[in-house]
Amino acid sequence: MPDADPIPILVVDDTPVDLLALHAVLDDGNYRWVEAQSGEQVLDILLEQHDFALILMAVQLPGMNGYDTVDMIKTRQQCASIPVIFLTANSQGAQRSYASGVVDYITKPYNPDLLRSKVHGFAEIYRVQQQLRKEIHKRRTAERQLRLASKVFEHSGEGMIITDQHAVIQAVNRAFEEISGYSREEAIGHKPSMLSSGRHTQDFYRDLWRTIEAQGAWEGEIYNRRKNGEIYPEWLKIVAIKDAAGKVTNYIGSFSDISSHTSAKQRLYHLAHYDNVTELPNRLLFNETLKRELINAKRRKSIVAVFFLDLDHFKNVNDTLGHAAGDVLLKEAALRLLQCKRDNDMVARMGGDEFTGMLVDLIHPEDAAIVAGRMLKELAEPFTLGDETVHVSGSIGLSIYPNDGQDVETLTRNADAAMYHAKELGRNNYQFYTEALHAESLRRMELEAQLRRAIKEEQFELYYQPQVETRTGRPIGMETLIRWSRPGGGMVSPAEFIPLAEETGLIVPIGAWVLKTACKQAKAWLDEGLPPLLLSVNLSSCQFREPDFMDLLTVVILESGYPPSQLQLELTERIIMHEDDFTVSRLKQISSTGIHLSIDDFGTGYSSMSYLKKFPINELKIDKSFIDEVCNDEDDGVIVSAMINLAHSLKLSVIAEGVEEAEQRNWLDWQGCDAIQGYYFSKPLSADDFADYIRKHTTTDD
Ligand code: C2E
Ligand code: CA
Ligand code: CA
């Protein structure tokens, strides 16, 4: 017995001497003990654990006695059947014990043999019951697995055949019936050769069986014949099932009908190579075709034009009329473009509102201009979308093989650059790629390289522009503005390099440097005794979306020791235009640190106003373009006044930027604008000059 699992028993007694006596007799490794000192404790234990062979329980217990405890045990379904033996000093209690459902009793002091044999008896019963339970469980699991296997067999999408060792069919499933056209009854008892199409040689089948003999399985494409005579290809797998001695007992064949695959392949090809909105070739097919056409052109010494076409203001259509209308417009535009091309030319869609294409076998580059002109004319005609009539136009960039490039990549890049140039020139026009554009792209590449060096060599400096309370002119904050002093090149305006830094991702390390440096500086000013000011730092959308951004904020705050409640991040409307979950949760994360959020360039974005309520924003910053003419242009005046009211109704503060005249300041003061930033008070200043400015403009009685 000792090598079997120990039997769990529950022993209930509060008298140490008696417990010791029990241990002396029963503690032989055959039992696993759980001990309790009171009836209450027994009930608690049984709540958690009810797998006991036996309960040995003293009748005399502190609190609830043994009888009451047994009564309670018997009311619980899970433990009612556990046998209980009473331990009692009083043999007269025996009668009462049986009455309460107790199976036996043992009197104290214990007779060791009697005790041992009684407990052992119940342990044996428990062990047999356990075994029975296990057997039942095992059988049930096996049955369940069998049921599952037969379900899988029956419902599999693959046709299945089970044969005996002589390859005589024993069973087939429903998919077999569907694919082959033969019913179960027609198939059972026959050999699978009833399906053979006659398309394969004897050698083919001989090889097949040899492979199964050698490797236990065969897999491949095979032609079979349905009951109706139709020949079809199937992908077949045959597996030999062997018994313990290694002798084959059955073969299982499973197959799928692949006759539809050829059309599926065509469908897949179409999906991969055509745009699903316009049915035009997509970027992949365009690139493949252009590559081929360039080889042809080289041989024939002909000219190929590559064009990039962007629909102007397409976004407005999508935003105001919805995506479905946008799709209709794209389809219609595609049809119009197709009318302008010749047979061997191609028009493709790159995605969004961008089209591209190639014009082949040209004699002069100017021929491409004629086609481009025609496309613009077609697109300029109004589009009818349901009840609406909308006008869009196009901007086209052209590059020419062989002059502007020899390969797909260069030609498309140059056409793209020319397209941007066309947009800059006011849209609705076409532009050829030129050397000047080339020079521009070179300049950008050079600038990018210099920017990388600037990061490494710390050529950046921060300037600070005061923000003042409109009513009093008292400084209350500062905006951090980056400056780049190029070695030997003077100061470069951020307006020039920030957009490039954003495009290239360099804004992430640059922005991190700005944040760190600004907080360090502001903390130093606090320590010097300058009055506390709200420090505003500009944040670009790439930074905002960086996975590590919250970590950066935490590190900056901890390292600098600058209070987060005096830090503000300026976000553009572009950042929060996407009202997605990520944006909402990130804004909440930032706000929960105590850092303020301001919407920069307010009024210039396209976004809806709904975000103002949804996001934890503290301040609106009215863009300079509204302030410029606020005193002269009635519309601007109305707009700014409305913005101020809107902000205040949402309990946000408002700051106006770009204030240059006393007249603007007075007007804003009259309208209740909270704060002002602009040359009227101060230009952005170097750190030293800024500190001087603050000292001068903060009187001691402040
Ligand atoms: P912004 O955030 O709109 O900054 C305000 C710009 O207006 C600054 O130009 C500032 O010098 C200028 N400004 C302020 N008051 C007046 C005024 O009364 N009249 C005129 N004419 N201009 C005024 P700045 O410093 O050239 O910065 C241009 C833009 O560069 C900024 O526009 C901001 O978008 C970006 N930028 C600057 N520093 C950073 C930075 O550290 N990180 C990021 N992501 N962007 C920055
Ligand atoms: Ca700003
Ligand atoms: Ca701004």
Side-chain angles (χ1 to χ4, degrees), residues 576-585 587-588 591 597 608-617 650 652:
I576 47 179
M577 196 165 70
H578 321 276
E579 294 173 43
D580 54 320
D581 293 347
F582 173 83
T583 308
V584 179
S585 80
L587 287 173
K588 285 189 177 151
S591 173
L597 294 167
S608 70
M609 295 290 147
S610 65
Y611 69 82
L612 291 177
K613 265 205 304 232
K614 206 151 84 188
F615 296 157
I617 292 160
L650 292 167
L652 308 177

Side-chain angles (χ1 to χ4, degrees), residues 416-433:
D416 194 28
M419 191 267 290
Y420 271 100
H421 188 51
K423 274 208 183 291
E424 276 166 16
L425 292 179
R427 305 166 199 264
N428 195 21
N429 72 98
Y430 62 84
Q431 292 298 320
F432 278 94
Y433 179 74

Side-chain angles (χ1 to χ4, degrees), residues 600-601 621 623 657:
D600 204 354
D601 306 339
K621 193 168 192 183
D623 190 60
E657 73 177 347

Side-chain angles (χ1 to χ4, degrees), residues 185-225:
E185 293 73 27
E186 289 171 303
I188 290 174
H190 290 86
K191 292 206 164 186
S193 55
M194 69 187 281
L195 301 169
S196 63
S197 61
R199 280 231 187 157
H200 302 284
T201 58
Q202 290 297 323
D203 288 350
F204 174 85
Y205 291 107
R206 208 171 29 241
D207 286 349
L208 182 156
W209 285 107
R210 276 200 192 132
T211 310
I212 296 173
E213 250 171 61
Q215 294 164 16
W218 179 90
E219 191 171 4
E221 197 174 312
I222 191 167
Y223 281 92
N224 272 344
R225 187 189 298 273

